[in-house]
Amino acid sequence: MKIGELSRRTGVPTRMLRYYEEQNLLNPARGENGYREYGVEAVQCVQQIRGLLDSGLTTEIIRAILPFLSAPGEIHLHPACLTPETAVLLSDEIDRIQSRIDCLSRNRDALRAYLEAVSSDRQQGMAGSARPEGVS
């Protein structure tokens, strides 16, 4: 299939598909006319790439593990893919993700505390603002 068809099937713009190729995430064949030609397996591969990118992984990490993944939504790494370089990449990525989780947790807790303080102030304000009958 041509790049336009792959784009339609996956919902990924052709520009992004070219970027994936630049990043060595996709490797289409080339026809005699020079056009990219993708096999049907490219649909699943693009879905896998999208899912990994959406989860926050870098193209560097995806490039290292993509050949060893089974299907979109599943990360089943083959032991052969865990080279020392890949182990360092994954370890660094785990640290980066944990930092993001910690930051998000702090922000969540701060917002929760703010909301509780505002709600408490409102409830106290309503209790103290009883109006006499006939006054609106």
Side-chain angles (χ1 to χ4, degrees):
M1 83 185 85
K2 303 282 188 268
I3 194 168
E5 177 65 18
L6 181 60
S7 176
R8 281 188 290 283
R9 286 189 184 188
T10 61
V12 175
T14 57
R15 185 174 181 173
M16 288 303 300
L17 295 173
R18 288 185 194 99
Y19 173 74
Y20 297 165
E21 184 181 352
E22 289 173 15
Q23 296 297 309
N24 290 320
L25 301 176
L26 278 180
N27 298 300
R30 294 283 180 160
E32 288 182 21
N33 57 8
Y35 289 0
R36 292 168 178 86
E37 295 188 9
Y38 298 91
V40 292
E41 70 282 350
V43 173
Q44 181 177 328
C45 184
V46 169
Q47 292 169 340
Q48 183 85 57
I49 293 166
R50 278 290 354 129
L52 294 168
L53 287 169
D54 289 347
S55 71
L57 295 180
T58 65
T59 56
E60 182 181 16
I61 291 172
I62 295 169
R63 185 173 38 259
I65 65 173
L66 190 61
F68 304 101
L69 299 178
S70 56
E74 298 177 10
I75 298 178
H76 296 283
L77 295 178
H78 187 278
C81 81
L82 196 56
T83 65
E85 296 81 17
T86 304
V88 168
L89 277 175
L90 294 175
S91 179
D92 289 348
E93 184 63 15
I94 290 168
D95 292 344
R96 188 181 71 81
I97 290 170
Q98 188 60 54
S99 293
R100 288 175 49 207
I101 290 169
D102 294 345
C103 179
L104 288 169
S105 295
R106 285 190 304 274
N107 290 340
R108 179 206 56 219
D109 294 346
L111 289 172
R112 185 176 287 144
Y114 175 76
L115 186 58
E116 288 172 3
V118 169
S119 296
S120 176
D121 286 348
R122 279 191 185 157
Q123 288 175 356
Q124 290 176 359
M126 289 179 167
S129 65
R131 296 184 177 163
E133 273 188 46
V135 178
S136 52

